[in-house]
Each structure stands twice: as C-alpha cells, then as structure tokens.
Amino acid sequence: MNNINYLTTINFGLGAAESLSEILFELGVSRPLVISDHGIKSAGLLERPVFGFLKAAPIFLDVPSNPTESAVAAGLALYRQGGCDGVVAIGGGSPIDLAKGVALLATHDGELERYAAILGGVARITSAVAPLVAIPTTAGTGSEVGRAALITLDDGRKLGFISPHLIPRRAICDPGLTMGLPPALTASTGLDALSHCIETYLSPRYNPPAEAIATDGFQRIWKALPVAYADGSNAEARTELMMGALEGGMTFQKGLGAVHALSHALGGLKEAKLHHGTLNAILMPTVLRWNVKVEAVAQKVGYLERLAGLEHTTLADALDGLNHSLGITPRLSELGVPRHVIDWVCERAIADHSHPTNPRSLTKKDYAAILETVF
C-alpha cells in the first residue's frame, strides 16, 4: 500500500498576497506572530500595503540562514508573550521552517529533539500544531507546501521534523513578491527547486502523481530560471519559476536522495555559513553521475534530458553548464568548507532522512568520494 496525499490549499498568482487577511479570518487567527528575517524587512516587503494590517502584530526577525533550536525557542517565547494564536511566515525556507518549529512547540510539550523524524518523532506530532500561513518570497524551497522542517539543534545536529501536520494550513504564492530578488539568490533558490524535482522524480518510492508533478516542475524551472536570472522583472518567468518551486515542494513525500543527505549535513557545519540551494546545485551533477549507473535511473534521466531538449549532452553535464552560467562555484572549498569535516559530514549523511530514498545504495565511503569530487 502507498500513502499518497495532496496537500493543502494554495492561493497562487500575481496579487495573491492580498488574500492574507481573509485567510487568517477563515482560520480563526486574530493575533498572529509574524516570522520573517532582517533581509526581508530591509527589502521593504513587510512595508507593502498588503501587509499593513500586520503592523500591530508581534514580529520575529532573528532567523538564521539555517534555522536553529535556539531561534525556535526565541520565537516561541515571543509567541507566548504576545498571546498569539497562529503564525504567518513571510520569507524563504528559513523563516518558514522556523515558523513550523514555533507552531509545533506552541502546542506540544517537551524539547524540540523528541519530535525529530529519526528519533521517532513523527508519531508524536499531532493535528494540534498551531495554524500556520506560509508566504514564500523566493522560488526555491517549496517549504510552503512541505511536511518537513530542517532545524539545527544546539549540539550541531541538523535534523528533519516531518509530519503532514507541519504542512502550512494555507500557502500564498505571489510571484510579485519575488520580483526584487537579486540574480545570485534567484539562481541558488531556483537550483534548489530544480534539485527537488530531480531527486523526487528519481526516488525509488512508488508515487506516479508525484513523478508527474516533479517532471512538470523540472520543465518549468529549466526554461524559466535563466530568464528570471537575466531579467528579474519578467513576470512570466517569475510565475513559472514559483510554480516549479511549488511543484518541487509538492513532491517531497516521495523522498529526496543523496544530494539532500549531504547538503543537510553540510548545512549543520559551524565552520562555514552555507546556502542550502548552492550546496544542492554543486552536488547535483556529481550525485547524478553516480545514480545514473542504475538502469531505472538512466531511463528516467533520459526522459528528463528529452524534456530539457538535450540531444548531444548529458543532464549532468548540462547542469554543470547551467551552474556556471548562473555564477555557482563548482567547489565546496571555495565556500570555506574545510577538508577535515568530510568524515563528520558523511556520518551525518548516512543518518539523514533523505539517505534511504536515494535510488542507488551509497556507503560512507561513496559519500566521501562524492565530496572529494566537488572539493
């Protein structure tokens, strides 16, 4: 038996953010905690008229690029101090993931760790999670429709918290909120979304609806990302990119793979601050070359190559070319990753919740070889 579930209510399109006040009324949320970050505030997004009614709401902005247990605790304290009854997350994957952690602990007792997936926490998360509305301002993570939050604990472990109850009650996807995104961030978040579509499609789990969504998302992102990178004000490209990112998030239930097992581990490093999407972009071509040795994967990759219009090059080589054209470095060392962490990263990758759904069985030694290739 295969459990296939889709997913939450999504308001999508230019101007969709105008529906926020109505959605909060429908959910019975009268005093939301707003979770965003300083970059979003500096960009002026929170000052837009559509969010004007939130000015009286408590707001939490101290969101790390990789959400942490201590930041969840700080957000939770503000939630309780303000007598809040729901959460509105405005931003990329980091504010949305952090908001999931706050919404969880607002209604569930104990330490955050006890709700981690690899520690048996899935069954402990109930429908009592506080109402959450997610408004992405990037087209990348898909967290607005994802059932997972990735949070780094105080001891350095970056763990996944997974439950259908963590899927935001409503998602508002307004491509207009991404118009001012700089090219570098457009590239890294867009490549993150592309990696979601590729990895979920190649996952060995049986879920044809997810595969259809993943391939549609792949095709949209492949065409739209270079256009949005070159012209951030192109509304059609921004809309296609946001839809592709949304579709990538809708397919998470099929499982990811080695790219994310490694990027989750690397994201937990204290030695360097690393962008999740950039890591996925760097790792994807090499992991693809490893996985394509499995016949079933080779057939699926062939289909993606046809969708991308590739006739004389492999998808892995084309991804290398795409990364280069979007200014993505091919080397982890250039991001400040020290070589001595490789063994630690490989151990964390083996323990990651994305490891079991890689289409090729990989060992710690295999992971080390992959990292050496992109070091």
Side-chain angles (χ1 to χ4, degrees), residues 253-268:
Q253 61 182 270
K254 191 169 181 284
L256 292 160
V259 169
H260 280 79
L262 286 167
S263 66
H264 292 161
L266 287 161

Side-chain angles (χ1 to χ4, degrees), residues 67 72 89 92-102 141 143-144 148-151:
V72 170
S94 297
I96 296 174
D97 276 10
L98 189 95
K100 290 177 182 180
V102 172
T141 70
S143 188
E144 67 273 10
L150 293 170
I151 300 171

Side-chain angles (χ1 to χ4, degrees), residues 186-240:
T186 297
S188 58
T189 55
L191 290 166
D192 185 22
L194 190 67
S195 74
H196 297 156
C197 293
I198 294 173
E199 283 217 293
T200 54
Y201 178 54
L202 299 181
S203 161
R205 282 183 182 163
Y206 181 79
N207 191 330
E211 293 195 0
I213 293 170
T215 54
D216 187 76
F218 169 84
Q219 197 167 20
R220 290 176 190 271
I221 296 167
W222 191 266
K223 292 179 179 178
L225 180 53
V227 179
Y229 178 80
D231 178 10
S233 64
N234 187 308
E236 181 179 358
R238 288 294 190 187
T239 299
E240 287 292 283

Side-chain angles (χ1 to χ4, degrees), residues 285-306:
T286 298
V287 171
L288 197 59
R289 292 184 181 103
W290 275 73
N291 287 340
V292 78
K293 295 177 182 178
V294 176
E295 179 57 31
V297 175
Q299 293 179 11
K300 285 185 171 182
V301 169
Y303 180 61
L304 293 179
E305 289 169 347
R306 292 191 293 275

